[in-house]
Amino acid sequence: MLMQTRSNTNATLPLHSSPGKMSGFRCHRRVASSLAHAIAAAAASTLNLPTALASSSTATEEEHSCGLWLAPSPIKEQEDHGWGHSIFTGKLIPKGTVVLGSGIMDETKSEKVFGDLFIPVYDWESLDAGAYAKMLYLHDEDDDEGDAHDTYSEEQRKEQIKNAHKLGLGGDPPLFQELWNGDNYNNLLLESYESMRIFMPGLANIPPCSATGFNLGQVQRQITYRDWRDIRKDIHDESPPSFQAGSFSYLSHAMFVAHRDIQPGEELVVECSNNSDEFDPKDYPPVDFQPKEAGGYSICLDDKAEERLADHTPNVAGGRYGGQRGLFAKRTLKAGEIITSTPLTPVHRNEMIMDRKKYEQWNMQAEQEHVKVGNIPPKKQQLLLNYMFGHAESSLLWLPQAPLILAVNHASSYDQKKPKNVQVEPNAKIQWHSDKYTEAQAAGKPLTRRQQFHHRELLEMDSLAVVQKEGMGLMLDLVATRTIKEGEEILIDYGKAWDDAMKQHKIQWESTVDAIKLEHEQDKATRKWQRKQEREREELKARSIKSGLEDTRHKHRQKHMENSMTAIPLSSYVTAADYNELYGEDDIRTVTEQYRNPYPSNIETACYFGFDWLDDEDDGDRDAEPVTYESWYNQEDELDPGCLLPCVITERRDYIAGEEEKQKQYDNDDDDGYKNNERKERQSRNTEHNGGSASPKRYTVKLIDTHEENTSIGFQCHIYKRFEYVYMDIPREGITFINKPHSTDHWIEQAFRQPIGLPDEMVPKIWRDLTQRKGMRGSNNVPKPKAAAAKVMTEKEEDAEKDYLLSVKRWNVVETRRERLEELDEKLQLTPRQDL
């Protein structure tokens, strides 16, 4: 059945034309033995593999068809850009086909999963040079467990920082290379005051990317929203918040489509705009590559397991309802069989702390005063933490890059107190990667340094050294521990620490919700809510009369900001995604109407526009009018506006037939008429009577930039603070509801945060740098790990090493947050610039 979904209909607008109807297809690959050996030899030559090893599995695998393969990248090697794995296709992918990291998006798959996992990473930015190295050594204060044991001496810290600076590693942690900027996802990045980056496993971070010559184009399609709530058509789910609220990403995204027909064996190259090396695969065409014939270096991504949402197939995490993903067997799997594998990126635990600067300042104050800083709120941690693997005794975390493992749910090991027939048990486990890599080494033809993907030497380095290594990582295997039948959910044990934390979280959550309900009843929630609303309306009205339109705007940092745990009553909370779904075609209330009938306090209106229509010359004009006006009709493309900011609705009126044509005479845009002709054609394909809109209403608004320090918003979308921006003639489609900053489940303090546990046998002692004092007699006498001896290099070797480490980065020339804020400074001034 097709799923009913809540989706952000205005989440993003396409940058490219829609690829059209998705087509399902079957393409079985049959390779004659002689041809297979020839291809294997070519692949071996390209990858520097021994021919015998590369062709060893041809006979047994030639009948098998695989859609996507994970294997070392020839393009990265040829281009001296990036490192490790890439993704290859084993089937023909027709132009316009949606491709996910877990397989080709045919009609059958689209019913099971909406797209790749999409995880926002808020208030996380690449730090200025040296700041990352310093951040690693912050004292981690833990009120429950006591201070983390300081395992590194001051001399060791200085030496590590010195080595990091020496090789240019002070600026960007390895995680930065796995994240994309969130500037194309307007309504999501407005949920933060500072920045938003995104993590999408699979195609977004494994293959090489380029601004030209790519075979997978990036399409900003609709972001699909699916949370823990039940789906009831046209009815808001008034259930109290689930203990799962904020513990998993509610978002899915089909980000890439085939830009052209992609032939079997091609390496996938995805579109990206910030490629600082000007890498162009047209100059070096992707090689035909038959990865299964390359021996142990290749892993099929879509032949054994597939992701499914709970709506399609109930899973242990989401039950019958909810947006939780699960991993299910596509065929019968044998015990000991490797189901899938994934590269891993090392991450330091401190990188998952939100508002790091605030905690850095508090820690510095504590050190200077030699006392603990009182009343420090609990540290908020990134949702991404829940998708990482870690160990309680190590500061190291590991983020999977491939998608399937992130869909594996938890099952505790068998509990003897419960009947076996009612107990859900794990049927798989994780382990460090095992393949024929060592055989290739023994044959004298190993992979090149850039193509290596499983660096076992990291198991012998301390945690600080690991998180500073660019171009190095580990591989993780998911292995069946018993026979798994086709259609059965694949489960692993997340570990006792995770299981205990979740059990405690459920108890505390239920207790908190019960206490909130009781408080609401005792305080007569309905009357309290009405009084609060009346008070806020009167205060807003008083400010409006006193100051005029200047203050008639939504206050993002209002005292009574609500989320799903603070709404009164709890059932009244509604997300912007749900509100757009339920009321997306209704007329928008003006600011005056909202005095009497306000919208939920956690959402606000936002307006699409093309770009800031003022520039430096306007800003430098001391005599410029303080109020600036622009019409929707004067945008370069009103059907594809690129900016979104909060806005106050000041007027709603009826559409006047032909008004858009009259407005054009005021448009000073010097074009050849093609744009206007194209506009007419698009409008004629829409509703003729309303000037291309489904609604007969037009709106006048005031744009408000309350996200002045949000560096994920493009410079052209921020507006000058000294001007009032009045935007006119906006159709209903140009206005959407967004969540106010910090009001979604992502931000609630009670949300569950815990990495998936690595088994003890997978964590070497040298990684265990978080030896804790509490309950450990003599912990102060624990020997400190020795700092790794730095390799002595000549000046030439140092330059070569620095060049190589720069080349393995995907984003190696990127503005820091500080640089972006300095650029924005001119727009934040209340007076004209003095340098013009």
Side-chain angles (χ1 to χ4, degrees):
M1 65 176 181
L2 286 173
M3 292 175 286
Q4 302 173 25
T5 67
R6 300 180 181 89
S7 60
N8 289 338
T9 55
N10 290 316
T12 53
L13 298 172
L15 298 181
H16 304 284
S17 59
S18 174
K21 184 178 180 180
M22 294 179 292
S23 58
F25 60 90
R26 298 177 62 186
C27 181
H28 296 283
R29 178 167 59 86
R30 296 177 181 271
V31 183
S33 178
S34 59
L35 177 60
H37 280 277
I39 293 175
S45 176
T46 301
L47 285 175
N48 197 21
L49 300 178
T51 304
L53 173 60
S55 60
S56 61
S57 60
T58 301
T60 58
E61 297 297 337
E62 63 181 6
E63 297 295 325
H64 183 66
S65 178
C66 179
L68 295 179
W69 295 93
L70 188 68
S73 170
I75 287 184
K76 293 177 183 178
E77 176 65 24
Q78 294 177 21
E79 290 290 340
D80 293 330
H81 185 94
W83 67 280
H85 271 116
S86 189
I87 296 179
F88 303 79
T89 176
K91 298 179 180 180
L92 171 69
I93 304 179
K95 179 180 179 180
T97 302
V98 177
V99 183
L100 304 181
S102 58
I104 299 167
M105 186 80 161
D106 58 26
E107 294 178 357
T108 301
K109 190 176 183 68
S110 67
E111 295 181 0
K112 300 175 184 178
V113 62
F114 305 144
D116 283 322
L117 181 67
F118 185 102
I119 306 174
V121 181
Y122 290 113
D123 296 356
W124 190 100
E125 274 291 351
S126 173
L127 305 176
D128 293 327
Y132 173 58
K134 286 197 298 183
M135 179 272 296
L136 297 180
Y137 311 102
L138 289 176
H139 296 285
D140 188 9
E141 304 291 345
D142 191 325
D143 293 335
D144 296 328
E145 299 293 339
D147 296 344
H149 186 57
D150 186 5
T151 56
Y152 293 89
S153 68
E154 188 64 26
E155 290 73 19
Q156 286 175 308
R157 293 181 183 182
K158 290 180 179 179
E159 184 66 20
Q160 292 279 3
I161 294 175
K162 180 180 177 181
N163 291 337
H165 278 295
K166 194 173 184 180
L167 294 178
L169 299 179
D172 300 329
L175 176 60
F176 180 76
Q177 305 302 323
E178 311 303 327
L179 304 177
W180 289 58
N181 191 28
D183 54 356
N184 288 326
Y185 306 94
N186 295 316
N187 65 334
L188 295 177
L189 63 87
L190 289 177
E191 293 182 16
S192 166
Y193 288 114
E194 296 182 10
S195 66
M196 184 191 82
R197 303 192 73 83
I198 60 172
F199 174 74
M200 289 181 62
L203 295 174
N205 56 22
I206 296 178
C209 74
S210 176
T212 59
F214 47 85
N215 49 29
L216 282 182
Q218 184 182 158
V219 180
Q220 304 305 328
R221 301 163 66 86
Q222 177 173 297
I223 299 292
T224 305
Y225 177 94
R226 182 69 179 96
D227 57 24
W228 51 268
R229 296 172 176 84
D230 191 1
I231 295 176
R232 300 174 185 174
K233 188 175 181 180
D234 300 329
I235 299 177
H236 170 55
D237 183 1
E238 297 185 351
S239 304
S242 164
F243 68 91
Q244 294 183 343
S247 67
F248 66 97
S249 178
Y250 302 160
L251 306 173
S252 300
H253 185 24
M255 187 175 183
F256 298 104
V257 299
H259 187 66
R260 55 171 173 79
D261 289 346
I262 306 176
Q263 302 302 318
E266 280 196 55
E267 183 171 357
L268 299 181
V269 179
V270 302
E271 178 186 12
C272 62
S273 58
N274 291 330
N275 195 292
S276 56
D277 278 359
E278 299 181 356
F279 162 66
D280 188 351
K282 285 185 177 180
D283 298 334
Y284 302 90
V287 297
D288 287 335
F289 186 73
Q290 301 293 339
K292 199 61 178 179
E293 281 70 44
Y297 290 110
S298 58
I299 300 136
C300 184
L301 289 175
D302 62 356
D303 64 334
K304 300 176 183 178
E306 65 180 0
E307 292 178 309
R308 300 179 189 172
L309 283 180
D311 299 88
H312 182 277
T313 308
N315 60 50
V316 300
R320 183 179 177 186
Y321 300 107
Q324 292 276 30
R325 296 167 184 255
L327 190 67
F328 294 83
K330 294 179 68 175
R331 61 174 175 81
T332 299
L333 305 172
K334 299 179 181 179
E337 185 172 357
I338 295 178
I339 303 171
T340 189
S341 301
T342 178
L344 298 171
T345 299
V347 180
H348 195 280
R349 282 182 183 267
N350 282 347
E351 292 180 57
M352 290 296 97
I353 299 173
M354 304 174 75
D355 295 325
R356 288 196 301 267
K357 289 186 177 180
K358 176 175 62 178
Y359 289 101
E360 288 174 15
Q361 292 171 356
W362 282 336
N363 280 314
M364 290 176 61
Q365 181 180 347
E367 289 182 358
Q368 292 172 357
E369 299 178 359
H370 303 289
V371 294
K372 280 191 174 183
V373 179
N375 302 321
I376 296 180
K379 292 180 180 178
K380 292 184 179 180
Q381 294 180 303
Q382 297 284 356
L383 173 61
L384 191 61
L385 177 69
N386 288 2
Y387 293 90
M388 295 184 178
F389 291 85
H391 191 278
E393 296 179 11
S394 175
S395 60
L396 263 180
L397 298 170
W398 294 93
L399 177 64
Q401 296 178 16
L404 293 178
I405 283 184
L406 292 177
V408 178
N409 287 316
H410 165 70
S412 297
S413 298
Y414 177 62
D415 184 351
Q416 297 291 339
K417 296 181 180 180
K418 294 184 178 180
K420 189 172 182 179
N421 60 350
V422 299
Q423 183 73 21
V424 177
E425 300 180 52
N427 51 23
K429 67 177 183 179
I430 55 173
Q431 65 182 28
W432 293 126
H433 186 58
S434 176
D435 58 16
K436 297 183 179 180
Y437 176 73
T438 53
E439 295 181 22
Q441 292 279 27
K445 293 187 177 181
L447 293 174
T448 66
R449 178 185 182 185
R450 192 178 298 276
Q451 289 176 326
Q452 290 181 25
F453 51 88
H454 184 60
H455 297 82
R456 293 177 178 171
E457 58 266 39
L458 294 180
L459 296 169
E460 300 175 357
M461 298 180 183
D462 64 67
S463 58
L464 293 180
V466 171
V467 295
Q468 291 177 4
K469 288 292 182 181
E470 296 284 357
M472 297 182 71
L474 292 173
M475 285 281 290
L476 191 72
D477 289 339
L478 178 65
V479 184
T481 55
R482 63 166 174 81
T483 299
I484 302 176
K485 298 180 180 179
E486 180 179 351
E488 185 178 353
E489 184 173 6
I490 299 169
L491 304 168
I492 65 172
D493 191 337
Y494 283 7
K496 188 176 186 303
W498 189 97
D499 194 64
D500 290 346
M502 175 55 75
K503 289 177 181 177
Q504 185 64 28
H505 171 71
K506 286 182 179 179
I507 294 173
Q508 293 178 348
W509 186 277
E510 292 172 359
S511 175
T512 300
V513 170
D514 289 342
I516 291 173
K517 288 180 178 179
L518 180 61
E519 180 184 356
H520 289 178
E521 292 177 0
Q522 293 174 342
D523 294 342
K524 299 180 180 180
T526 302
R527 287 194 300 172
K528 181 179 179 180
W529 171 252
Q530 291 175 344
R531 289 196 303 270
K532 183 181 70 172
Q533 288 296 298
E534 183 63 25
R535 182 173 62 252
E536 291 179 350
R537 287 196 295 269
E538 291 299 324
E539 291 175 354
L540 187 60
K541 187 174 181 179
R543 289 197 301 269
S544 175
I545 295 173
K546 182 178 180 180
S547 303
L549 188 60
E550 175 71 23
D551 284 333
T552 59
R553 73 186 213 184
H554 294 282
K555 296 294 184 181
H556 290 261
R557 299 181 186 270
Q558 59 180 304
K559 181 179 179 180
H560 301 292
M561 174 66 65
E562 293 185 353
N563 57 41
S564 60
M565 292 295 283
T566 61
I568 305 175
L570 293 175
S571 60
S572 67
Y573 179 81
V574 56
T575 66
D578 287 346
Y579 206 88
N580 282 318
E581 183 76 12
L582 295 171
Y583 309 109
E585 297 180 359
D586 291 2
D587 291 344
I588 303 291
R589 301 167 202 154
T590 66
V591 65
T592 303
E593 292 170 335
Q594 291 179 47
Y595 293 155
R596 300 184 298 273
N597 187 15
Y599 290 115
S601 68
N602 61 290
I603 65 174
E604 64 182 335
T605 50
C607 296
Y608 288 100
F609 62 103
F611 50 84
D612 182 5
W613 54 83
L614 300 183
D615 55 27
D616 289 349
E617 184 176 349
D618 298 306
D619 184 40
D621 184 358
R622 292 178 174 274
D623 299 323
E625 292 292 332
V627 181
T628 178
Y629 299 86
E630 183 56 289
S631 169
W632 171 275
Y633 301 127
N634 287 343
Q635 293 186 111
E636 285 190 344
D637 187 352
E638 72 267 17
L639 296 184
D640 188 14
C643 300
L644 181 72
L645 283 179
C647 60
V648 175
I649 314 300
T650 60
E651 179 186 0
R652 182 182 64 249
R653 63 174 178 81
D654 292 329
Y655 167 75
I656 301 174
E659 66 178 55
E660 64 275 17
E661 298 298 329
K662 295 179 181 179
Q663 179 62 39
K664 287 177 187 176
Q665 62 182 305
Y666 301 106
D667 187 357
N668 294 322
D669 186 12
D670 183 14
D671 60 38
D672 57 4
Y674 169 77
K675 193 176 298 180
N676 290 335
N677 291 333
E678 185 183 36
R679 181 180 298 158
K680 290 179 181 178
E681 292 177 4
R682 287 198 301 260
Q683 290 176 347
S684 65
R685 293 194 296 265
N686 292 295
T687 305
E688 296 181 0
H689 301 294
N690 298 322
S693 173
S695 170
K697 301 296 182 180
R698 293 294 185 271
Y699 298 85
T700 298
V701 308
K702 178 184 176 183
L703 296 177
I704 306 294
D705 191 352
T706 49
H707 295 66
E708 299 164 348
E709 296 187 357
N710 190 321
T711 51
S712 292
I713 299 175
F715 179 85
Q716 75 281 4
C717 295
H718 281 288
I719 57 179
Y720 289 94
K721 192 172 184 178
R722 61 178 289 241
F723 293 98
E724 292 184 13
Y725 285 71
V726 178
Y727 199 35
M728 306 176 295
D729 310 321
I730 307 177
R732 177 62 181 85
E733 291 83 355
I735 306 174
T736 187
F737 290 97
I738 62 171
N739 297 302
K740 290 184 179 179
H742 301 189
S743 67
T744 63
D745 289 350
H746 191 112
W747 300 87
I748 55 180
E749 293 183 3
Q750 300 90 340
F752 182 73
R753 294 289 184 270
Q754 181 77 18
I756 302 169
L758 284 173
D760 287 341
E761 61 270 18
M762 292 181 65
V763 183
K765 290 184 179 180
I766 197 169
W767 286 4
R768 304 191 183 198
D769 56 352
L770 296 183
T771 306
Q772 294 180 342
R773 287 169 150 180
K774 186 175 180 179
M776 298 183 64
R777 182 175 299 176
S779 61
N780 287 331
N781 297 321
V782 175
K784 299 177 180 180
K786 295 181 179 180
K791 179 182 177 181
V792 178
M793 296 184 183
T794 66
E795 184 176 350
K796 185 176 180 181
E797 288 175 333
E798 285 185 3
D799 291 341
E801 181 69 5
K802 187 173 182 178
D803 289 342
Y804 175 78
L805 293 176
L806 237 137
S807 73
V808 299
K809 298 181 180 182
R810 172 176 289 186
W811 324 116
N812 52 15
V813 179
V814 181
E815 288 182 310
T816 65
R817 174 170 171 80
R818 178 181 298 174
E819 291 169 335
R820 292 175 181 173
L821 287 174
E822 289 175 354
E823 184 181 18
L824 283 173
D825 185 61
E826 63 186 70
K827 287 196 171 186
L828 303 181
Q829 302 297 322
L830 289 173
T831 58
R833 292 177 55 185
Q834 301 298 317
D835 57 341
L836 294 177

